[in-house]
Amino acid sequence: MRGDPKRKTKPLFVVEDDPDQQELLKLMLDRVCLPSQVVCFSTGEKLMEHMNKLVSKQGLSDEEIPTLITLDLRLPGVDGLEVLQVIRSHDKFSKVPVLVLTASQLADDVKASYRLGGTVFLRKPFEEEELKNILQQLRIMGLLKG
């Protein structure tokens, strides 16, 4: 994590069932200078449980709402499209940019991701430079801080 260690940073949620992909994403996000506490979830259910805990607690602060969610489309159990619907249904999470990641080559997956509120779609495998460019575009559009 980069930046001032005394300054509290908003978390960044990574929803990815493959532990190697989780680590790779964490490394890439750190290298492209997104100073955040990366919180990983191996299933959509775990993310949704965490979101429900946050939403149900008293005094939820803006610092607890993620600055970005990276979401694997193909997850065990509840898939990424269903998770995306849940993210968009929560008032506190509805405006969080969601980067949908998948190895799928199906055009319907891209269409469904955007229809359900995905901010941007990125096919795996991808290069770090592609991730950096997407994050820069989100910053320019005012959707991503940091």
Side-chain angles (χ1 to χ4, degrees):
M1 190 178 333
R2 295 184 180 165
D4 181 356
K6 294 177 186 170
R7 190 179 131 224
K8 191 170 184 177
T9 59
K10 293 178 72 153
L12 186 150
F13 293 169
V14 171
V15 188
E16 171 62 62
D17 60 312
D18 182 326
D20 293 334
Q21 288 290 319
Q22 279 185 7
E23 282 304 310
L24 182 60
L25 262 171
K26 284 167 61 174
L27 288 170
M28 284 184 172
L29 290 165
D30 185 50
R31 284 195 298 253
V32 297
C33 300
L34 192 62
S36 293
Q37 171 196 2
V38 177
V39 181
C40 294
F41 302 91
S42 58
T43 67
E45 289 94 342
K46 289 181 181 178
L47 171 70
M48 292 186 298
E49 285 173 22
H50 184 73
M51 287 172 46
N52 286 332
K53 283 181 192 174
L54 288 175
V55 170
S56 66
K57 81 177 220 179
Q58 297 286 56
L60 177 64
S61 71
D62 285 343
E63 285 80 27
E64 294 173 280
I65 304 299
T67 189
L68 175 73
I69 299 173
T70 67
L71 177 63
D72 185 16
L73 201 58
R74 300 286 177 239
L75 294 166
V78 178
D79 75 10
L81 293 175
E82 291 176 73
V83 174
L84 185 54
Q85 286 180 296
V86 171
I87 292 168
R88 293 302 181 226
S89 71
H90 279 286
D91 286 341
K92 292 286 187 178
F93 294 90
S94 64
K95 301 294 186 212
V96 175
V98 177
L99 172 56
V100 178
L101 305 171
T102 188
S104 172
Q105 297 296 316
L106 300 175
D108 286 346
D109 285 339
V110 177
K111 290 176 190 173
S113 295
Y114 285 125
R115 181 174 42 79
L116 294 172
T119 310
V120 67
F121 189 92
L122 184 58
R123 283 201 172 90
K124 298 179 198 174
F126 55 87
E127 298 294 324
E128 188 173 304
E129 193 64 28
E130 291 175 272
L131 179 61
K132 183 178 179 179
N133 289 339
I134 285 173
L135 297 177
Q136 182 61 32
Q137 289 301 313
L138 291 174
R139 284 184 186 107
I140 289 169
M141 295 181 333
L143 298 175
L144 185 63
K145 308 294 185 227

